[in-house]
Amino acid sequence: METFTTYDPEGFYDELVDENGKPRPGVELLVDKIESLPDGDLDRRQKEAEALLLKMGITFNVYGQDQGTEKIFPFDLIPRIISDDDWQPIEAGLKQRIFALNEFLQDIYNDQKILKDKVVPKDLILSSKTYRKECVGFTPPKKIWCHVTGTDLIRGADGCFYVLEDNLRCPSGVSYVLENRQVLKRTFPYVFEKSKVRAVDEYPGKLLDMLEYLAPDGVDSPTIGVLTPGIYNSAYFEHSFLSQQMGVELVEGRDLVVSDGYVHMLTTKGLKRVDVLYRRIDDDFIDPSVFRPDSLLGVKGLIDVYRDGKIAMANAPGTGIADDKAVYAYVPKIIKYYTGEEPILPNVPTYICQEKADRDYVLDHLSELVVKAANESGGYGMLIGPHSTKKEQQTFAKLILAEPRNYIAQPTISLSRVPTIIGDRLEGRHVDLRPYIIFGEDIYVQPGGLTRVALKKGSLVVNSSQGGGSKDTWVLAPGEKEEN
């Protein structure tokens, strides 16, 4: 296999090698190791890693696929490495951002000061499909709304990290972070140890600590459940994995019932009270008596028990308004409003199609911009202008004009790349990064997160549902460089 001796960054910002093809600080040991491998050995290790992931059952479900529901999540052996100097502002910026978004959620469902002060347009919030009127006047346990967040970051051609979007509802992918790490530790044990990579495996313990912290008053040993839609959900592997790692129950809506003002789990020994739910079901489906009446996934009466403080939920219902892509454009102002600080992590410049001047610009520059539907995810509802046809641009122009509130646009960012095994050679592929943040008694940021990689040459879409894969993400410990 051809390795770094022939690797070409092709003018993009590459995470492992600089513009001269030299290894960046902290990655020399990995590059040297790969270069020293006998011919065919890297390919063998890649196949062994894939076999191990298959054995582990690291899968996700793809909706609408005729060939079956489950797929092995594609994985690339070459890790992405982030220096401590790069990681420190990421960690600080994420803590700042999540704190401010939590304050924002508490405010807009209660006093609405930020709307009265016209920092964020009132109609933008109240017209959002994810603003839940059912949550108005409510304060969740410990005043925490966004307990688990997955914030998507990208690195631009300037080498700086930017926030691409926030995910505060049911962010998925952390199980792949944990399993990818196990594979890499077996594949490059010497390099891993000598590189002093920060651990990611404390995440389940941190998640459990947060869920226990939410328990209703007077409950010392809470019963906790992970509420899943079931085996056909795309992230079911993760739901079962996390429940197993935490040693808590994995439950579906049909396993739960409201009785005597509490939520109970059906067991072979009768009803057992449940105190905390880590719910992995969207708001629409969690309680058919409050949200969608046709839902078969939720628990009738759950919201009333929640309002009465007799059960806690993570994440709180109503958090989706904070990851609405139109609201995203105002997050720098939201951070300034609630913290008095400038954002540590910048947003990508964003055009809001509800604003006439922005809309006119977007319609005139569709071939240059990335257009996104405000409440879609997984790479759906998106136009990537430079890769689109005239017909696709015309279709999106009609969509924008019909429902301008539902669309934003951003310049096409030249995403950073990481060397990736493609056939018998290494080629650069674009990546993003989703760190996971837990908000409990304090705010914890998992060192690294999920690096998603666009496996199709030239593609900027990294989502697994769109053919993307993943890499292990190594955050180097403070003051550590490679050791020879």
Side-chain angles (χ1 to χ4, degrees):
M1 172 180 284
E2 297 180 15
T3 51
F4 288 99
T5 53
T6 56
Y7 180 71
D8 183 5
E10 299 180 296
F12 292 96
Y13 184 95
D14 194 276
E15 304 255 347
L16 292 192
V17 300
D18 63 21
E19 61 276 11
N20 299 314
K22 301 294 185 184
R24 295 190 183 277
V27 309
E28 298 95 337
L29 194 64
L30 176 69
V31 171
D32 288 347
K33 177 64 177 178
I34 292 173
E35 288 292 347
S36 70
L37 293 175
D39 189 43
D41 197 64
L42 186 61
D43 183 57
R44 176 186 62 79
R45 292 180 188 223
Q46 174 68 31
K47 287 182 169 59
E48 286 178 354
E50 291 170 355
L52 184 57
L53 289 169
L54 179 61
K55 186 177 180 181
M56 289 176 167
I58 315 300
T59 63
F60 71 101
N61 292 347
V62 181
Y63 302 122
Q65 298 261 332
D66 294 333
Q67 65 267 34
T69 56
E70 284 196 316
K71 282 184 67 175
I72 298 299
F73 193 43
F75 172 74
D76 185 76
L77 201 59
I78 310 298
R80 183 215 207 131
I81 299 179
I82 299 175
S83 70
D84 179 63
D85 288 344
D86 282 335
W87 181 251
Q88 286 190 30
I90 291 174
E91 184 176 36
L94 290 171
K95 288 182 176 182
Q96 178 197 55
R97 192 175 183 95
I98 299 311
F99 173 83
L101 287 174
N102 194 73
E103 293 294 301
F104 170 71
L105 287 162
Q106 176 65 17
D107 187 7
I108 61 168
Y109 285 118
N110 289 276
D111 297 333
Q112 299 190 343
K113 291 179 182 178
I114 198 168
L115 305 185
K116 294 170 185 173
D117 289 341
K118 299 182 179 180
V119 176
V120 178
K122 186 175 182 178
D123 65 322
L124 185 79
I125 301 302
L126 301 186
S127 66
S128 175
K129 297 173 183 176
T130 53
Y131 181 72
R132 302 295 183 180
K133 295 180 177 64
E134 298 85 355
C135 296
V136 171
F138 178 73
T139 296
K142 308 293 195 292
K143 289 189 175 181
I144 303 171
W145 293 80
C146 46
H147 308 87
V148 181
T149 307
T151 301
D152 291 344
L153 307 178
I154 59 172
R155 196 170 201 167
D158 56 2
C160 295
F161 282 94
Y162 297 83
V163 177
L164 184 64
E165 62 182 55
D166 303 286
N167 298 284
L168 288 83
R169 281 174 267 188
C170 303
S172 62
V174 74
S175 58
Y176 303 127
V177 176
L178 300 172
E179 296 290 55
N180 287 353
R181 175 58 52 84
Q182 294 305 311
V183 172
L184 258 290
K185 285 167 75 173
R186 298 184 194 187
T187 306
F188 294 120
Y190 174 79
V191 178
F192 183 86
E193 181 183 351
K194 290 295 183 181
S195 296
K196 300 295 190 294
V197 182
R198 290 182 61 183
V200 297
D201 56 5
E202 61 184 355
Y203 182 91
K206 295 285 187 181
L207 181 60
L208 181 60
D209 288 346
M210 178 271 290
L211 295 171
E212 290 176 338
Y213 175 67
L214 297 180
D217 292 341
V219 179
D220 295 327
S221 299
T223 298
I224 298 169
V226 176
L227 178 59
T228 175
I231 62 172
Y232 296 108
N233 183 263
S234 61
Y236 181 75
F237 164 78
E238 177 159 300
H239 306 163
S240 57
F241 175 84
L242 289 175
S243 67
Q244 183 269 329
Q245 290 289 306
M246 290 189 289
V248 304
E249 301 289 344
L250 179 67
V251 294
E252 298 181 33
R254 62 187 178 182
D255 301 321
L256 303 175
V257 64
V258 171
S259 177
D260 299 325
Y262 293 92
V263 175
H264 298 269
M265 178 171 52
L266 302 170
T267 75
T268 55
K269 297 179 180 179
L271 298 181
K272 181 178 182 181
R273 178 177 161 183
V274 178
D275 305 296
V276 184
L277 282 175
Y278 176 29
R279 56 110 179 182
R280 298 295 297 260
I281 297 179
D282 288 341
D283 288 356
D284 281 339
F285 302 101
I286 57 176
D287 185 343
S289 63
V290 176
F291 298 112
R292 280 184 54 163
D294 61 340
S295 172
L296 301 176
L297 301 176
V299 185
K300 189 174 182 179
L302 173 60
I303 293 299
D304 283 342
V305 180
Y306 180 59
R307 287 183 180 132
D308 288 343
K310 294 177 180 177
I311 193 169
M313 275 196 286
N315 285 343
T319 54
I321 182 62
D323 63 28
D324 182 303
K325 291 179 176 63
V327 174
Y328 158 92
Y330 292 89
V331 173
K333 292 182 178 180
I334 290 171
I335 292 172
K336 180 75 171 177
Y337 185 81
Y338 293 111
T339 70
E341 303 165 352
E342 295 298 327
I344 297 170
L345 288 171
N347 270 19
V348 174
T350 302
Y351 302 96
I352 303 170
C353 291
Q354 183 170 307
E355 305 289 338
K356 185 180 185 308
D358 282 10
R359 181 168 67 250
D360 291 345
Y361 180 86
V362 170
L363 292 172
D364 288 341
H365 296 83
L366 282 172
S367 64
E368 305 166 21
L369 300 170
V370 176
V371 182
K372 300 177 182 178
N375 289 294
E376 292 284 351
S377 61
Y380 297 102
M382 181 188 298
L383 175 81
I384 299 181
H387 297 170
S388 65
T389 64
K390 280 287 184 186
K391 185 176 181 181
E392 289 168 337
Q393 293 166 27
Q394 290 167 359
T395 298
F396 264 77
K398 291 177 183 176
L399 290 170
I400 291 168
L401 288 169
E403 197 176 359
R405 163 64 180 82
N406 194 42
Y407 290 91
I408 62 149
Q410 297 168 331
T412 306
I413 303 295
S414 180
L415 302 186
S416 64
R417 302 202 313 187
V418 177
T420 302
I421 300 171
I422 306 294
D424 63 350
R425 57 186 288 134
L426 295 182
E427 293 183 5
R429 290 294 186 267
H430 295 295
V431 293
D432 77 350
L433 177 65
R434 177 178 287 184
Y436 295 90
I437 306 100
I438 296 174
F439 194 159
E441 195 164 6
D442 52 19
I443 300 177
Y444 162 79
V445 182
Q446 186 187 42
L450 182 65
T451 286
R452 300 184 298 178
V453 53
L455 293 173
K456 297 175 184 176
K457 187 173 179 62
S459 175
L460 299 175
V461 182
V462 299
N463 306 82
S464 56
S465 55
Q466 307 293 313
S470 71
K471 290 173 172 284
D472 193 16
T473 310
W474 293 6
V475 174
L476 303 184
E480 297 293 349
K481 304 297 182 185
E482 61 96 12
E483 300 176 9
N484 291 310

